[in-house]
Amino acid sequence: MQTAVNMWPLLGVAVIVLGFLLRLHPVLVVVAACFTTGFAAFMPVEALLASLGTAFVKTRNLPMIYLLPLAAIGLLERFGLREHAQSAVARMRSATAGRLLIVYLGVRELSAAMGLTSLGGHPNMVRPVVAPMAEGAAQLRNPELSDDQRQRVRAMAAATDNVGLFFGEDIFVAFGAIVLMQTVLRAEGIEVDPLHMALWGIPTAISTFIIHAWRLRRLDRYLAPTGGGAA
C-alpha cells in the first residue's frame, strides 16, 4: 500500500524564500513560515504554539553565542586591530599577500584536520586579522593599489579560509560528514572504517593546497604594479 505524501507543508519554504526576497523582517518571515507549515499539516493551534515555544526556549541562548564574539571583535577593531595587523606585516619586507595567505591556508588545513575548526573563520579571523594583513602586504608591494585589487585580496582571504576548512576537516575522523557517509554505506550493506575514509581525504587536501597555493601566487602577479589579468 502506498500512502499519499502531503506536500502542502512545503509552502513554508516558499514563504521563507518570498520573505527574504522582499527583504521583510527575518523573525516575522520565520514565524509566518511556521504557521503556514503548521496549518498546511493540519496541526492544532495549541500544538503549533507549543512547538514555537519549545523551539524558542531551546535556542534562546544562541544570540548570545553569536553576538558576544562579534561585539568583542568590534571593540578590537574599534581600538585599531586592523591597523596593528597591517603595520605588523609592513615590517616583514619579504611578505606578500599570496605568501601570507599560503601560510594561513596551511595552518587552516592542519588545524581543521585535527578537529580545531573554530580557530579560523570569517568574522573572528579573516575580517579583523587575515584580510588586513594580506591587504597591508599588497599595499607594501604596490602603493597604488586599486579598489578592485583590494577587493580581490579580501575575497581571496575569505576563499582561503573556506578552502582550508572544507578540505582540512575531511581528514578528521570524527567529522560529521564522515559519520554520515558511514551510516549511508552501512544502510546499503557496505561496511567502511571511518579512519579509512578520513585517510583518503589526505590526497585531496594536499592537491587542494597545491592548486590554491598556485592561485595565490597568481594573485601576487595580479597585484604587482605592472600586473593585470585575472587571478
Side-chain angles (χ1 to χ4, degrees), residues 138 140-145 149 220-228:
L140 184 65
R141 296 283 174 171
N142 182 8
E144 303 297 329
L145 208 62
Q149 290 174 321
D220 282 338
R221 291 198 294 271
Y222 170 76
L223 297 175
T226 57

Side-chain angles (χ1 to χ4, degrees), residues 34-67:
C34 290
F35 277 100
T36 301
T37 301
F39 290 143
F42 304 106
M43 288 180 62
V45 177
E46 297 82 0
L48 183 57
L49 292 176
S51 299
L52 286 174
T54 302
F56 173 77
V57 170
K58 288 182 177 180
T59 59
R60 66 182 184 275
N61 292 326
L62 285 179
M64 298 298 293
I65 295 174
Y66 290 105
L67 291 178

Side-chain angles (χ1 to χ4, degrees), residues 13-130:
V13 178
V15 171
I16 290 179
V17 173
L18 182 62
F20 286 140
L21 285 176
L22 296 177
R23 297 186 178 182
L24 301 178
H25 196 285
V27 175
L28 296 178
V29 172
V30 171
V31 172
C34 290
F35 277 100
T36 301
T37 301
F39 290 143
F42 304 106
M43 288 180 62
V45 177
E46 297 82 0
L48 183 57
L49 292 176
S51 299
L52 286 174
T54 302
F56 173 77
V57 170
K58 288 182 177 180
T59 59
R60 66 182 184 275
N61 292 326
L62 285 179
M64 298 298 293
I65 295 174
Y66 290 105
L67 291 178
L68 286 178
L70 290 178
I73 294 168
L75 285 174
L76 289 173
E77 289 193 6
R78 173 67 176 80
F79 289 98
L81 176 62
R82 294 170 62 90
E83 289 75 11
H84 284 298
Q86 289 179 336
S87 62
V89 171
R91 292 192 292 268
M92 302 165 58
R93 296 299 176 182
S94 62
T96 66
R99 291 173 185 171
L100 189 144
L101 291 177
I102 289 173
V103 172
Y104 180 68
L105 174 64
V107 173
R108 188 66 163 135
E109 274 201 10
L110 290 175
S111 61
M114 294 184 289
L116 304 175
T117 57
S118 60
L119 291 182
H122 291 191
N124 54 336
M125 184 60 72
V126 174
R127 186 184 186 278
V129 179
V130 177

